Amino acid sequence: MSDRERAGALAAAGVTVLFWASAFVSIRSAGAAYSPGALALGRLATAALLLGAFALVRRVGWPDRRAWPGILISGLLWFGGYMVCLNWGERLVDAGTAALIVNVGPILIALLSGWLLHEAAPRSLWLGIGVSFAGTAVVGLSMSGGGRSSLLGVLLCVLAAITYAIGVVAQKPALKHGSALQITTWSALVATLALLPFAGVLVHEVAQAPLSATLNMLYLGVGPTAIAFTTWAYALTRTPAGKLGATTYVVPALVVLLSWIFLSEVPGWLTLAGGALCLAGVAVSRRRAARPVTPAVATPPVPAVVPADEELSG
């Protein structure tokens, strides 16, 4: 991969993590008025409509049949199941517990991509994941405030981490048979259809929800879903799944910054230290392995050729 393609993938990943970090602020507002299933359906329906319209303009066709296993798995488990489980789980456990459990996802991605996709996992990746996970734990615990916890909430967060990891690993081979826009669009449509049983609840809650909550739900569909999942797929096409998964550890640090700016939640020193650990771990995980230097092979001396006339005269 050229340096230009590598820079493009890194920029796309940056857009993704920025939108995903902002999603936590929006979910806090929308989640107060919308139940987990209805919020997930509203978010995905918005994304599916936007992506579908854009795909029609770009004349994106029906996906290759070889891409459908990945589309179905990522659509049902990641786009759909992950969002419902996370929305529900964060209502039952404190923020620290949720952050700690859900951020097991990148570790599972690295393990699954090595097992199923045969991707190499260099030492720098595991070291970076370890540092970032420690930073996530520090951020989560410092911001939890000793909140509540429940067994169901913990299990839902575990399920969210598992569905996220499986969805990412399943999407990787699908991107060999379709564009980022194509795979993301159809995955969002699959998830929307799967969540249609929540349509009645969504209609009822839209009528009662404040405008700010509904606008946040629409934003979740446009930014953190339609745009961010497409840029993620673009980056995933050009980046190993394990390494790209590790970049999501930037999200906790960005959540701290955005909460500081938009919610006036001034972070403590422990929270800032945890965010710094997250960023340091991502930097380590993306460090390129040194290329081995091939030792120069000594060229054997060429024996001198004696001319025939000199050989005879001697």
Side-chain angles (χ1 to χ4, degrees):
M1 184 170 61
S2 66
D3 290 339
R4 183 176 180 179
E5 289 178 325
R6 189 177 290 108
L10 183 60
V15 171
T16 298
V17 297
L18 181 60
F19 272 119
W20 284 356
S22 70
F24 285 90
V25 179
S26 292
I27 288 173
R28 190 173 302 182
S29 172
Y34 288 97
S35 58
L39 178 58
L41 175 58
R43 174 179 177 176
L44 282 162
T46 302
L49 287 172
L50 180 63
L51 288 169
F54 191 64
L56 286 174
V57 172
R58 294 291 301 272
R59 297 183 179 180
V60 175
W62 188 264
D64 188 288
R65 61 182 180 83
R66 293 170 292 181
W68 273 105
I71 290 174
L72 291 173
I73 294 173
S74 62
L76 293 173
L77 295 183
W78 185 19
F79 285 64
Y82 167 79
M83 291 187 186
V84 174
C85 290
L86 184 61
N87 292 344
W88 191 1
E90 287 194 353
R91 289 188 167 201
L92 302 176
V93 300
D94 61 79
T97 302
L100 185 63
I101 297 173
V102 172
N103 277 284
V104 172
I107 300 175
L108 297 177
I109 291 173
L111 290 171
L112 289 174
S113 61
W115 175 36
L116 298 175
L117 304 179
H118 307 292
E119 291 183 355
R123 186 181 303 174
S124 60
L125 174 60
W126 287 113
L127 178 60
I129 285 176
V131 173
S132 290
F133 186 73
T136 298
V138 172
V139 170
L141 293 174
S142 66
M143 297 181 70
S144 65
R148 65 197 184 283
S149 182
S150 74
L151 178 60
L152 178 59
V154 169
L155 291 176
L156 286 167
C157 289
V158 170
L159 190 58
I162 293 173
T163 53
Y164 160 49
I166 295 175
V168 170
V169 175
Q171 190 184 65
K172 177 73 173 179
L175 289 167
K176 295 179 181 179
H177 309 291
S179 66
L181 175 60
Q182 190 177 41
I183 302 302
T184 305
T185 299
W186 286 98
S187 296
L189 286 170
V190 167
T192 302
L193 291 174
L195 293 177
L196 281 180
F198 295 105
V201 179
L202 176 61
V203 171
H204 174 73
E205 292 179 351
V206 165
Q208 298 181 341
L211 179 61
S212 60
T214 301
L215 289 176
N216 273 286
M217 180 179 68
L218 295 175
Y219 167 75
L220 288 169
V222 175
T225 307
I227 297 175
F229 274 75
T230 303
T231 52
W232 170 274
Y234 175 86
L236 186 60
T237 307
R238 295 157 177 81
T239 311
K243 180 176 288 189
L244 187 60
T247 63
T248 60
Y249 281 121
V250 174
V251 170
L254 289 176
V255 170
V256 172
L257 179 61
L258 293 175
S259 298
W260 191 356
I261 295 173
F262 293 105
L263 302 178
S264 300
E265 296 179 354
V266 180
W269 287 108
L270 188 61
T271 304
L272 292 174
L277 277 176
C278 291
L279 296 176
V282 172
V284 171
S285 70
R286 297 194 64 86
R287 188 175 58 185
R288 295 191 206 176
R291 295 181 179 179
V293 179
T294 305
V297 179
T299 304
V302 179
V305 179
V306 179
D309 56 347
E310 293 184 13
E311 185 176 350
L312 291 175
S313 64

